[in-house]
Amino acid sequence: MRDVEASLRFYAALGFEQRGRLQFERAYNVYLGLPGDGDVLELTVNVGHAEPYDRGNGYGHMAISVENLDATLER
C-alpha cells in the first residue's frame, strides 16, 4: 500500500474504525473493524515502497457489499 491515509479515509467512510497497529522492521499493519464487531480488515504498509505494486509482489483483496456505493461514500 502506497497511501495508507487515503485507504484509511476510504474505509472510515464505509464505517470502519481503526483498532490498532503492529510495527515490523520495514512494514506495519493497521487493523480495522466495524462498530460492535471484531477486527475484520488488516492493511499492510510497506515503508519506503514507492513503486506501484505489480501482480506477484502485492497481494490482498476484499469484497464489500452495499446497496448503493455512491450514497454510502457520500455519507
Side-chain angles (χ1 to χ4, degrees), residues 3 6 15 21 24 26 31 33 40-41 48-49 71:
D3 188 348
R21 188 177 285 219
F24 300 100
R26 293 185 311 234
Y31 298 94
V40 296
L41 179 62
H49 188 98

Side-chain angles (χ1 to χ4, degrees), residues 33-54:
L34 294 169
D37 201 1
D39 297 345
V40 296
L41 179 62
E42 174 185 297
L43 303 178
T44 300
V45 181
N46 294 301
V47 177
H49 188 98
E51 308 84 39
Y53 288 97
D54 192 10

